[in-house]
Amino acid sequence: MEKDKKFDAVLMMREIRENLSEKYWKHPDILKKEMQAIREKYKLKLTETVTNKSI
């Protein structure tokens, strides 16, 4: 395993996750607004999650 990493993907994802959690933690309304804009931009529809239901 290489000891001198030039790029650490795990560290990068931890930093991104931390920054997003700080941004949205006390402002869920901003998260909701931005998610709605993404859905409209990419024409995505909300779907219900399927749980373990017996058929």
Side-chain angles (χ1 to χ4, degrees):
M1 191 161 128
E2 186 178 334
K3 294 196 180 219
D4 295 327
K5 287 185 173 180
K6 295 179 183 176
F7 178 73
D8 189 351
V10 173
L11 177 62
M12 183 184 78
M13 290 306 298
R14 287 180 180 157
E15 290 171 351
I16 290 171
R17 190 178 316 119
E18 181 65 27
N19 290 336
L20 289 175
S21 68
E22 288 174 6
K23 179 178 179 181
Y24 296 127
W25 182 253
K26 294 184 181 178
H27 307 285
D29 52 322
I30 295 173
L31 173 62
K32 189 174 181 178
K33 186 174 85 172
E34 290 183 3
M35 293 301 291
Q36 183 60 36
I38 291 169
R39 286 186 202 105
E40 291 171 4
K41 179 179 179 180
Y42 294 104
K43 297 174 180 58
L44 301 173
K45 297 179 184 177
L46 282 177
T47 58
E48 292 184 28
T49 17
V50 177
T51 57
N52 294 332
K53 295 180 181 178
S54 57
I55 298 176

